[in-house]
Amino acid sequence: MKRLNTEWGELENLVLKDMSDGFISNMTIQRQFFPNDEDQTGAAKALLRLQDTYNLDTDTLSRGNLPGVKHKSFLTAEDCFELGKIAYTEADYYHTELWMEQALKQLDEGEVSSADKVYILDYLSYAVYQQGDLAKAMALTRRLLELDPEHQRANGNMKYFEYIMAKEKEANKSSTDSEDQVEKETEVKKKDYLPERRKYEMLCRGEGLKMTPRRQKRLFCRYYDGNRNPRYILGPVKQEDEWDKPRIVRFLDIISDEEIETVKELAKPRLSRATVHDPETGKLTTAHYRVSKSAWLSGYESPVVSRINTRIQDLTGLDVSTAEELQVANYGVGGQYEPHFDFARKDEPDAFKELGTGNRIATWLFYMSDVSAGGATVFPEVGASVWPRKGTAVFWYNLFPSGEGDYSTRHAACPVLVGNKWVSNKWLHERGQEFRRPCTLSELE
Ligand code: OGA
Ligand code: FE2
């Protein structure tokens, strides 16, 4: 009686209480941290970039069959359709076709989905038409009309395609052989010329032109004491030649796991999207060709950073007091830095002027993680690929002894395909190197 009498009112109040108000206001707070449209298109474009760079076919990508992936996740027909739509709004009909085809394929294979074949075929036939395959565009439109005979645009397109087809047949009849010849010649030219982009992608896939054995034989590994640096005479470090021209060397076991952890923890709260100099405005902006997060660490804030700086100074013989602070960078999936020079070119003389330390004479780059797939550092001018190996570092000079920039040092960070990439780098500058020599024992004390 108590339950159904006294307590009933409480139950009634509970039932009448509107829970959605609290929920909605809670969600409004959370919402600001959700990805937005820009994030979503950015992610889609990154996926398409990965597909091109690593020659991944759409089916492989959709089924998540990637090297180094432990827990596969796959794309639904609807996901594929969304990707295709994003490519379409970018007027990228090549990828529109690939992803619409994939969506269709998954539906044909019986995937249960809310994706609609008619919509997919509509986009697909247009993308195919845009790329000049009229016959295929017609076949696709015919398929669409079988599903929806009244489809207005498809009916219109069909008539248009037939008209164009007829006109082309007419034109073909009267075309001469010499015209065909011209076409063939330009095709050959296209094949011979490898733009930087293609070289970059090949190197990222590890398809670099191999060095001749004769040249390779001149690459060595050794123990290095920093040119009789007192701190390394008893405990020299392992060094490997990665490349000869430009000379790129790799130091092994040069940063410990504990040091890496410390550097990452110091950097994490400060990581923000990396920027580049906009040549037009001279201001720092974000750019699609540099996708990573970075932070700067000073030697003053931690003995670990200071120790790392000293190590670089000892092993390169270059004064680090004029160097930039230690930069820590983190690349997520799709993160990359397209081909660039680390030094300032003649046409941008003001880039490092404020620093008063001259140009970036050399680059030291620590690899602070292994990368499951992708993420190499590549040099497209010379064909070198350097693969990340946790605990190692690479070093090269950006400038010739004359102070001229060495254009063969143009390099890039390949997009990460699977996993996460951590690096940190030190850019050493010209000033302070004029009278450098290794320090003596008495100076160490
Ligand atoms: C750079 C750079 C290479 C890499 O930050 O300037 O070239 O592999 N990085 O991260
Ligand atoms: Fe660089």
Side-chain angles (χ1 to χ4, degrees):
M1 282 192 202
K2 181 169 154 273
R3 263 201 316 142
L4 294 179
N5 184 36
T6 327
E7 290 171 15
W8 189 255
E10 284 169 35
L11 176 67
E12 221 167 38
N13 283 339
L14 267 178
V15 171
L16 288 174
K17 197 169 162 192
D18 191 349
M19 307 290 285
S20 59
D21 276 356
F23 180 75
I24 286 172
S25 70
N26 208 346
M27 267 335 216
T28 314
I29 297 169
Q30 298 299 324
R31 188 74 222 236
Q32 60 182 315
F33 304 112
F34 283 11
N36 57 22
D37 280 351
E38 192 195 347
D39 294 319
Q40 200 174 322
T41 22
K45 285 198 252 174
L47 205 60
L48 302 181
R49 191 160 61 228
L50 287 173
Q51 176 173 27
D52 287 346
T53 308
Y54 295 106
N55 263 349
L56 301 168
D57 68 66
T58 317
D59 200 60
T60 308
L61 211 47
S62 177
R63 320 248 176 226
N65 288 326
L66 298 173
V69 167
K70 288 195 203 86
H71 306 286
K72 270 187 218 175
S73 62
F74 42 85
L75 301 180
T76 62
E78 180 135 38
D79 294 335
C80 298
F81 177 56
E82 287 301 324
L83 261 171
K85 270 206 300 202
I86 288 172
Y88 174 85
T89 48
E90 300 286 314
D92 172 358
Y93 301 117
Y94 168 73
H95 286 113
T96 311
E97 178 180 356
L98 288 178
W99 286 97
M100 292 298 171
E101 289 262 24
Q102 183 65 27
L104 207 56
K105 181 177 162 190
Q106 291 184 204
L107 291 183
D108 286 344
E109 285 168 4
E111 184 179 314
V112 181
S113 169
S114 62
D116 186 333
K117 281 189 192 178
V118 170
Y119 278 105
I120 298 173
L121 283 163
D122 198 7
Y123 279 99
L124 182 55
S125 62
Y126 184 75
V128 167
Y129 158 71
Q130 276 292 337
Q131 296 177 94
D133 191 343
L134 212 55
K136 188 172 170 189
M138 279 176 91
L140 289 163
T141 310
R142 217 169 281 129
R143 196 173 154 194
L144 193 165
L145 287 171
E146 276 163 23
L147 295 170
D148 181 2
E150 308 299 318
H151 197 285
Q152 257 192 351
R153 190 175 32 251
N155 276 305
N157 286 349
M158 202 64 190
K159 285 205 185 77
Y160 175 69
F161 292 156
E162 277 160 1
Y163 164 75
I164 298 273
M165 201 75 150
K167 230 172 79 176
E168 271 188 7
K169 273 210 184 104
E170 223 19 66
N172 272 353
K173 263 186 216 149
S174 53
S175 85
T176 59
D177 288 347
S178 66
E179 267 175 299
D180 288 345
Q181 194 60 37
V182 171
E183 242 172 56
K184 263 185 205 139
E185 268 169 23
T186 49
E187 238 172 61
V188 170
K189 233 185 227 154
K190 260 188 216 151
K191 261 185 204 148
D192 278 358
Y193 173 67
L194 257 193
E196 180 177 57
R197 169 105 224 143
R198 301 297 304 280
K199 277 191 232 165
Y200 163 52
E201 293 180 349
M202 279 179 70
L203 290 170
C204 288
R205 294 194 293 268
E207 293 170 10
L209 293 170
K210 293 283 171 288
M211 262 191 184
T212 58
R214 204 185 145 84
R215 200 170 149 197
Q216 211 164 12
K217 263 195 207 156
R218 286 199 282 257
L219 300 180
F220 293 101
C221 60
R222 63 187 71 78
Y223 279 105
Y224 185 66
D225 66 2
N227 203 8
R228 294 194 64 70
N229 184 298
R231 271 191 279 259
Y232 289 90
I233 290 176
L234 291 183
V237 293
K238 286 172 264 182
Q239 194 190 50
E240 288 176 354
D241 295 332
E242 282 280 345
W243 205 259
D244 50 1
K245 222 175 163 204
R247 180 148 194 252
I248 306 168
V249 293
R250 190 197 293 256
F251 293 92
L252 277 68
D253 297 325
I254 205 65
I255 181 166
S256 71
D257 287 355
E258 293 78 52
E259 286 170 330
I260 289 175
E261 274 321 299
T262 307
V263 168
K264 276 162 63 170
E265 288 312 314
L266 285 170
K268 269 179 193 169
R270 273 181 262 167
L271 287 176
S272 61
R273 176 80 194 262
T275 51
V276 293
H277 274 279
D278 184 330
E280 247 138 59
T281 63
K283 294 219 168 70
L284 291 173
T285 54
T286 59
H288 72 275
Y289 60 85
R290 185 179 190 190
V291 184
S292 64
K293 285 186 153 196
S294 59
W296 298 91
L297 301 184
S298 155
Y300 296 114
E301 62 188 286
S302 153
V304 172
V305 177
S306 165
R307 191 160 80 211
I308 287 170
N309 291 342
T310 306
R311 191 171 307 155
I312 297 172
Q313 173 161 292
D314 285 340
L315 292 171
T316 62
L318 295 173
D319 192 324
V320 287
S321 68
T322 56
E324 289 165 63
E325 291 184 334
L326 189 73
Q327 181 185 245
V328 181
N330 172 237
Y331 302 81
V333 171
Q336 61 161 357
Y337 192 176
E338 288 184 18
H340 65 277
F341 302 106
D342 281 353
F343 61 88
R345 256 65 26 65
K346 285 237 176 68
D347 58 348
E348 38 165 22
D350 290 340
F352 295 122
K353 209 172 181 177
E354 331 146 24
L355 296 171
T357 51
N359 213 340
R360 283 176 176 162
I361 192 170
T363 299
W364 177 288
L365 177 70
F366 284 112
Y367 292 109
M368 303 204 300
S369 70
D370 292 312
V371 183
S372 303
T377 309
V378 300
F379 296 71
E381 291 296 313
V382 296
S385 304
V386 179
W387 294 91
R389 273 151 63 190
K390 190 179 181 187
T392 71
V394 287
F395 173 76
W396 69 85
Y397 274 93
N398 294 304
L399 306 180
F400 290 118
S402 63
E404 284 287 309
D406 180 352
Y407 284 77
S408 71
T409 62
R410 193 169 168 83
H411 61 279
C414 296
V416 171
L417 178 58
V418 181
N420 209 296
K421 175 179 170 186
W422 285 91
V423 297
S424 62
N425 47 2
K426 193 86 181 161
W427 284 300
L428 299 133
H429 281 246
E430 289 176 291
R431 285 296 85 72
Q433 320 308 346
E434 295 88 346
F435 311 106
R436 285 293 296 173
R437 55 172 172 74
C439 60
T440 61
L441 268 179
S442 60
E443 280 169 331
L444 273 182
E445 279 156 7

